[in-house]
Amino acid sequence: MDEMEEELKCPVCGSFFREPIILPCTHNICQACARNILVQTPDAESPQSSRASGSGVSDYDYLDLDKMSLYSEADSGYGSYGGFVSTPTTPCQKSPNGVRVFPPSVPQPQPQQHLLPQPGSLPPIPRNSCITCPQCHRSLILDERGLRGFPKNRVLEGVVDRYQQSKAAALKCQLCEKSPKEATVMCEQCDVFYCDACRLRCHPPRGPLAKHRLVPPAQGRISRRASPRKTSTCTEHELENLSMYCVQCKMPVCYQCLEEGKHGTHEVKALGAMWKLHKGQLSQALTVLSDRATEAKEFLVQLRNMVQHIQENGVEFEACLVAQCDALIDALNRRKAQLLSRVNKEHEHKLKVVRDQISHCTVKLRQTTGLMEYCLEVIKENDPSGFLQISDALIRRVHVTEGQWGKGTLTPRMNSDFDLTLDSGPLLQTIHQLDFVQMKVPAAPMLQLEECCTQNNSATLSWKQPPLSTIVVDGYILELDDGNMGLFREVYVGTETICTVDGLHFNSTYKSRVKAFNASGLGQYSKTLIMQTSETGLPPCDIQSIGTVAWFTFDPASAHQDIVLSNDNLTVSCNSYDDRVVMGNSAFSRGVHYWEMTVDRYDNHPDPAFGVARADVLKDVMLGKDDKAWAMYVDNNRSWFMHNNSHTNRTDGGIGKGATIGILLDFTRGILIFLINDEQQGPVAFEALEGVYYPAISLNRNVQITLHTGLPIPDFYTTGEADPTGSVC
């Protein structure tokens, strides 16, 4: 009940309603708060003809009165007619709910008096007073009855009383401004709970207040409970009880109102009857609102789960980002090591070349210096004949040695600079451009079955993206098998959403599927569509289906979350006691098709349903409950056919463990037939079937079923002639 507390608080004072009155706009306000927010208007702007009270204003009259609404400069609170407020120099106050409240226009009580005057001692309402609703800001001119013209909300007062009584916590002081303290006494006359400090300040034991009786809070609670409920009386005739209901004015009235007042010509009904009628209407409205509240609670659970998923995904994504950046750093470090190795090799090569040249030049210089010193010593000799004997040889050696120091000998063989420049610009630019790409792989396309058809040996397929998908798609890939249940192969890659494939085999059954792709990768495949080409020489869409069989399995993508598949999606069971639906992974639109299902487990006499369904069938109810499925449900004794929750053709004969259920779908005649243990169960179940259908089944946890496909048509059945005009491609 804590959520209800705000409904029980006055929009002006922010406390629980006390003696609430109902304004014509149906909002409630405390009677004392209503007196505090009254605004006095000039006589010129309040003609007697426009005055009205709460009890005599219809919805239509109130719209006219609403044209006189008063607003402040910001249209956010109460205002006045220029300077006609009763106390213009006194600033307005704000209630706990933020509503601007003007002080009353009557003189304030003396300090020694009680802050809550006794009933009957309230000063009169000034003439030409106007009250503005604190919630919708509609204004209303009061008549001579003042606030007594508004009906009192006894129901709200009773709800507030019960709510306060239901609070088991200690009673709080009603006059503490901040952090109310625990009440110590209650005044029976004032009906107010006080703490010690507020009692001494607001309820001193002197003067008229000395005669008031103060009791403990618990006793005051009991006295409140024991106080009799006041009887609602007419606001026009205060001595008359409300006993009738005016339908036109939508308000309770008394007998005197019918005889003398304006309700005499209105339609009236008994108060009790209208009370029961409106209670019923409120209950119905609450049922709808309760459903919305349930949806809101489920939505909040979804949002809270989303918060948890966001946190989990955030941690996972952060770890992935760190791993990706670490991988980039590792790759950069490896490349750095490779580049450093190249620099070291270049460094060693340069040093080796220079050192070799230094060694070679040093040896040569030593030899040259030795020759020069020897020649100088020879020149010093004074023996001409001896000198001439060796001079020619020395001259040749000097020339040869000098020639060895020729061009290029004294030039460095290696440059000291490194002729390597790291081209880091593209990498830096790539790093600066490194960012997140908000793109995922596309969702599985939806085949537009109404536009898919075959004609002679050609097949036309059409598809589209799911309606709510906003993921960018760069193109599509269409795949077909070889017409003999072989491997799929790509037959089209492009941006178009419709494709016609020519050159197929006649009288062959092809399986087709399509997927989308974008820069992030390939998306999921669509559902597989089985299409059969025409027999040679027959008109378009004229299909001869004898001898052709279809192979398929249960489709995990279409199954309810409680469905459990095994045995290569051929065996199905369920985790729930409620019926859940699963469909086959192939759709049929032509030909004659037959498949069987065997009962592997059958406990507690459940009633599984077998049949065909549209792609958008409900998955959480029994097959055949909606208008998207055609089914037979069967228990251990009998069976029924069901479509759109209509049960027909009850037939004796049920199923048990080991039973076989056959389903025969003949598009040439547009009929659906069921068999149990190779015997036809009842008459033709459904007729005039056209369009695209999926094999389907619904079951609960008491049943396990195994699917058998690729079966020939039963011998007892003779296929009918195809009807080209009634076939759907």
Side-chain angles (χ1 to χ4, degrees), residues 139 222-223 262 375 391 421 463 572 668 670 672-673 699 703 723:
S139 298
I222 296 174
S223 64
K262 68 174 185 179
C375 290
S391 60
T421 301
W463 58 88
V572 59
T668 61
L672 182 65
I673 297 175
L699 72 168
V703 187
D723 183 9

Side-chain angles (χ1 to χ4, degrees), residues 583-604:
M583 299 190 299
N585 62 355
S586 298
F588 301 126
S589 60
R590 299 182 171 281
V592 181
H593 307 278
Y594 179 74
W595 62 95
E596 292 180 349
M597 299 186 187
T598 56
V599 181
D600 302 332
R601 179 169 51 83
Y602 189 82
D603 303 327
N604 302 323

Side-chain angles (χ1 to χ4, degrees), residues 172-185:
K172 301 294 183 180
C173 175
Q174 294 177 281
L175 297 182
C176 289
E177 296 181 356
K178 296 181 179 179
S179 301
K181 300 179 182 178
E182 185 175 348
T184 57
V185 295

